[in-house]
């Protein structure tokens, strides 16, 4: 029995064992004893995770894939979560304990997976996996890059982001129309921000909504004082600011209110 890839779930099954092992080996296994794989499909990556000295859980929304895993990975059966990762409360399983995330992520929900990880950053010291190449590059890009944006700043505020390697389309069934990229996020030793975190998220999102404008124009809705608006940081466009500068900007806005 094999599982048919379903377009509406964004499924592209990896069929290259060497690459699967290489992705599994991106985990450092530091700071956690449990790993959650998102969208295991037929378990090409799962089998390599099961060889490691961690407890592997998988979360899969596709009933056909779940049936395949239950039949072929008997020692995993009790740790298959048949739920939608984006909607499921993971603490029903992990009870506040730390865990790493890994997977060949469905392209259509990959950025939402990152945002949910950021929400749960207290519990997720490490995250690695495969994205559409341009999304992986965006997450890891630095200020000044054309692709640097909301995802880059918010992720890198809490995690060190590394682009690891590129994967060609021909190792998937069916092959996607684009290249894929594997990245690793390692949570920073001190990942609490020295500013109001909710405000930081708001400032970053608002700034990049009009990325061609200067910060003075893109942050108009914050009703900043004339005095603050004179600060030279407002002459810049959002892609010119690094994470630290966004933190400093948030601190300035906090003091201004």
């Amino acid at each position: 029995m094999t599982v048919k890839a379903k377009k509406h779930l964004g499924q592209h099954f990896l069929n290259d064992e060497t690459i699967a092992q290489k992705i599994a080996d991106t985990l450092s296994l530091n700071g956690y004893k449990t790993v959650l794989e998102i969208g295991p499909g037929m378990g090409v990556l799962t089998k390599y995770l099961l060889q490691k000295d961690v407890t592997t859980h998988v979360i899969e929304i596709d009933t056909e894939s779940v049936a395949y895993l239950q039949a072929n990975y008997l020692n995993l059966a009790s740790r298959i979560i048949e739920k939608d990762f984006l909607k499921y409360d993971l603490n029903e399983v992990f009870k506040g304990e730390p865990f790493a995330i890994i997977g060949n992520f469905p392209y259509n929900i990959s950025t939402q997976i990152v945002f949910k990880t950021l929400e749960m950053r207290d519990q997720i010291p490490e995250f690695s996996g495969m994205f559409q190449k341009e999304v992986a590059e965006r997450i890891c890009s630095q200020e000044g890059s054309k692709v640097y944006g909301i995802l880059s700043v918010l992720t890198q505020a809490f995690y060190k982001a590394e682009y690891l390697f590129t994967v060609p389309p021909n190792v998937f069934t069916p092959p996607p129309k684009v290249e894929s990229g594997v990245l690793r996020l390692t949570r920073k030793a001190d990942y609490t921000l020295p500013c109001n975190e909710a405000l930081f998220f708001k400032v970053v999102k608002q700034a990049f909504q009009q990325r061609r404008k200067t910060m003075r124009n893109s942050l108009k809705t914050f009703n900043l004082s004339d005095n603050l608006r004179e600060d030279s940081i407002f002459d810049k466009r959002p892609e010119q600011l690094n994470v630290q500068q966004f933190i400093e900007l948030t601190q300035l806005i906090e003091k201004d209110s």
Side-chain angles (χ1 to χ4, degrees), residues 18-176:
T18 310
I19 292 172
Q21 181 156 22
K22 207 172 161 188
I23 294 170
D25 288 345
T26 60
L27 291 175
S28 71
L29 311 184
N30 291 331
Y32 54 88
K33 295 187 175 70
T34 311
V35 173
L36 176 66
E37 182 190 354
I38 298 172
M42 287 181 281
V44 64
L45 175 59
T46 320
K47 71 159 91 61
Y48 294 105
L49 296 173
L50 290 171
Q51 292 168 11
K52 296 187 177 293
D53 191 20
V54 284
T55 304
T56 298
H57 291 72
V58 300
I59 187 162
E60 177 60 75
I61 198 171
D62 176 27
T63 48
E64 202 184 350
S65 292
V66 168
Y68 180 92
L69 293 168
Q70 284 170 335
N72 291 277
Y73 292 88
L74 301 178
N75 56 344
L76 180 72
S78 64
R79 299 190 306 280
I80 299 170
I81 307 163
E82 193 174 347
K83 297 283 182 187
D84 178 341
F85 171 79
L86 296 176
K87 295 177 181 159
Y88 181 61
D89 176 4
L90 293 169
N91 277 319
E92 288 194 19
V93 174
F94 298 112
K95 316 285 186 211
E97 291 294 314
F99 61 96
I101 283 180
I102 194 167
N104 300 325
F105 305 121
Y107 294 155
N108 53 353
I109 60 162
S110 61
T111 53
Q112 292 159 276
I113 289 171
V114 175
F115 282 124
K116 180 159 178 178
T117 298
L118 295 180
E119 282 169 25
M120 297 192 70
R121 57 189 176 271
D122 287 341
Q123 273 175 268
I124 303 173
E126 194 168 54
F127 173 107
S128 67
M130 183 146 52
F131 291 79
Q132 187 172 327
K133 185 181 183 215
E134 64 178 51
V135 177
E137 287 175 336
R138 190 181 309 149
I139 292 167
C140 298
S141 67
Q142 299 298 308
E143 73 277 9
S145 155
K146 272 201 192 82
V147 297
Y148 181 73
I150 294 172
L151 206 53
S152 332
V153 177
L154 295 183
T155 305
Q156 292 174 40
F158 307 104
Y159 290 87
K160 175 188 168 199
E162 301 166 90
Y163 186 94
L164 300 176
F165 56 91
T166 302
V167 181
N170 63 342
V171 297
F172 295 92
T173 309

Side-chain angles (χ1 to χ4, degrees), residues 118 121 139 148 150-161 186-195 197 200-201 204 242-244 246-247:
L118 295 180
R121 57 189 176 271
I139 292 167
Y148 181 73
I150 294 172
L151 206 53
S152 332
V153 177
L154 295 183
T155 305
Q156 292 174 40
F158 307 104
Y159 290 87
K160 175 188 168 199
T186 310
R187 194 176 61 199
K188 294 178 176 179
D190 180 8
Y191 61 95
T192 51
L193 301 187
C195 64
E197 289 182 359
F200 173 79
F201 273 72
V204 173
N242 61 27
V243 172
Q244 185 54 37
F246 268 109
I247 289 171

